[in-house]
Amino acid sequence: MAAEAKAPTRRVSSQRTPAELLRVIFLPLGQLLAFILGSAVVLGLIVVVLAFLLSRSDPKILQTALAILPQVIIDGIVRGFLFATIALGYTMVYGVLEFINFAHGEIFMVGGFVGAGVSYLLNQWGILANLPAILFVIIVVLIGMTVSGLLAMGTERIAYRPLRNAPRLVPLISAIGMSLVLQDTVRLVATNTPLGFNARFETPNFGKPFQLATIPLGERGIPVLIGPKAVVFIVAAMLMLLALNYLVNATRLGKAIRAVAQDRTTASLMGVNVNQIISLTFLIGGALGGAAGVLFGMNIGTVNPYMGFIPGLKAFTAAVLGGIGNITGAMVGGIVLGFLEAFVASYLSLFTGGAFSGASYADIAAFSILILILIFRPEGLLGESTTQKV
């Protein structure tokens, strides 16, 4: 009885106060906004300095560089949130298993195809045109998250759990094999349905792009625009970050996930069902990837069975850049990588006089960053250095 009387007191004392809880949940959002502002300022200053130096030979370079800078920053934010939402799935799984799920890019792709399939059915039933845009987003995102989350959980059960105690290279090969299986399975299904290989993502009318400003350039002005779909993408990504932080830091499930991530054996001895927690971690990570796939497909308008490969690799790069295993770090790494890609894609051609196409070299910039991070700061921007336990 004495032990029973003491248990509630111990449980209450371990709970966070409301102020601490709010700080834990909303602090990552503040860090993310600070990195967005800092990245925009630093890269903007680099562009201005380079444009100023090059303007001695061509005065129009500086004017053009300044005129397109706000639009490049917006494009970088949109790219960054794409990489960040996919990277959340990578970092969730790695935080628990210390395992890179290279099939996560295909989970993202499946989410996009599920969204395209739902939109196709809604269009066939004559509902899509009159459906409010926000309601459409909620429907397709929830269905995409459900299917992708269950698929990720099934993948863990079939391909990863039997190899959990095998050498680390074995589950990695299994993950690559699952990636290829998912690609070809979706290709087989898509090419034998009305969706086709390049499935069109039908959407209701989201309205006209929002004009944030007009940049004067000579006798005309360049509008700074952001599309409604991009706004939905950014807002949804921020909500996912807040929800994930709440789940991990303020719920019993989150406490169990953190316990399993810290020490699986001890967590099991304390009554935590390790297999169930790992499955739920894959479910959450897969659902986040599915949501990113739906939003990405909705934003670009088409999806195909191989669209997850490159974004998946870049999201892995973003997770490493921010500190893999760190939820906020995944978002920060995605934002930084998105900015780098947008600036390279927009300014490389301008600064080299058209000798190099920026869009072609944006991927090189992304993976060069991965190499540099692995060499000079392998723990990432927000990660902590760890030692191997013997």
Side-chain angles (χ1 to χ4, degrees), residues 90-92 94-95 319 323-327:
Y90 275 116
T91 209
M92 281 287 292
Y94 185 86
I324 194 161
N326 186 312
I327 293 173

Short mmCIF file of all heavy atoms in Angstrom, two decimals, residues 90-92 94-95 319 323-327:
data_model
loop_
_atom_site.label_atom_id
_atom_site.label_comp_id
_atom_site.label_asym_id
_atom_site.label_seq_id
_atom_site.Cartn_x
_atom_site.Cartn_y
_atom_site.Cartn_z
N TYR A 90 12.57 10.37 -41.85
CA TYR A 90 13.90 9.79 -41.68
C TYR A 90 14.36 9.90 -40.24
O TYR A 90 14.88 8.94 -39.64
CB TYR A 90 14.91 10.52 -42.57
CG TYR A 90 15.00 10.04 -43.99
CD1 TYR A 90 14.65 10.87 -45.05
CD2 TYR A 90 15.45 8.76 -44.29
CE1 TYR A 90 14.73 10.45 -46.36
CE2 TYR A 90 15.55 8.33 -45.59
CZ TYR A 90 15.19 9.18 -46.63
OH TYR A 90 15.28 8.74 -47.92
N THR A 91 14.21 11.09 -39.68
CA THR A 91 14.77 11.33 -38.36
C THR A 91 14.00 10.61 -37.27
O THR A 91 14.57 10.22 -36.24
CB THR A 91 14.85 12.86 -38.10
OG1 THR A 91 15.93 13.14 -37.22
CG2 THR A 91 13.56 13.42 -37.55
N MET A 92 12.68 10.39 -37.46
CA MET A 92 11.90 9.62 -36.49
C MET A 92 12.42 8.19 -36.40
O MET A 92 12.64 7.66 -35.31
CB MET A 92 10.43 9.61 -36.90
CG MET A 92 9.66 10.87 -36.56
SD MET A 92 9.33 11.03 -34.79
CE MET A 92 8.18 9.69 -34.54
N TYR A 94 15.35 6.96 -37.49
CA TYR A 94 16.74 6.90 -37.05
C TYR A 94 16.85 7.13 -35.55
O TYR A 94 17.69 6.51 -34.86
CB TYR A 94 17.59 7.92 -37.80
CG TYR A 94 19.07 7.80 -37.47
CD1 TYR A 94 19.87 6.90 -38.17
CD2 TYR A 94 19.64 8.54 -36.45
CE1 TYR A 94 21.22 6.77 -37.85
CE2 TYR A 94 20.98 8.42 -36.13
CZ TYR A 94 21.77 7.52 -36.83
OH TYR A 94 23.09 7.38 -36.52
N GLY A 95 16.03 8.04 -35.01
CA GLY A 95 16.09 8.32 -33.59
C GLY A 95 15.80 7.11 -32.73
O GLY A 95 16.32 6.98 -31.62
N ALA A 319 18.27 15.86 -43.30
CA ALA A 319 18.28 15.28 -41.95
C ALA A 319 19.70 15.24 -41.39
O ALA A 319 19.92 15.54 -40.21
CB ALA A 319 17.67 13.89 -41.99
N GLY A 323 21.07 17.41 -38.24
CA GLY A 323 21.41 16.55 -37.10
C GLY A 323 20.43 15.40 -37.04
O GLY A 323 19.37 15.53 -36.42
N ILE A 324 20.75 14.30 -37.71
CA ILE A 324 19.78 13.23 -37.86
C ILE A 324 19.43 12.64 -36.49
O ILE A 324 20.29 12.44 -35.63
CB ILE A 324 20.31 12.14 -38.81
CG1 ILE A 324 19.18 11.19 -39.22
CG2 ILE A 324 21.49 11.40 -38.23
CD1 ILE A 324 19.48 10.41 -40.47
N GLY A 325 18.14 12.41 -36.28
CA GLY A 325 17.63 12.02 -34.98
C GLY A 325 17.06 13.19 -34.21
O GLY A 325 16.39 13.01 -33.20
N ASN A 326 17.27 14.42 -34.70
CA ASN A 326 16.77 15.64 -34.07
C ASN A 326 15.61 16.17 -34.91
O ASN A 326 15.79 16.51 -36.08
CB ASN A 326 17.91 16.67 -33.98
CG ASN A 326 17.52 17.90 -33.21
OD1 ASN A 326 16.47 18.49 -33.43
ND2 ASN A 326 18.37 18.30 -32.28
N ILE A 327 14.40 16.25 -34.32
CA ILE A 327 13.21 16.65 -35.08
C ILE A 327 13.35 18.07 -35.60
O ILE A 327 13.13 18.34 -36.78
CB ILE A 327 11.95 16.51 -34.20
CG1 ILE A 327 11.70 15.03 -33.88
CG2 ILE A 327 10.74 17.12 -34.87
CD1 ILE A 327 10.59 14.80 -32.89
#
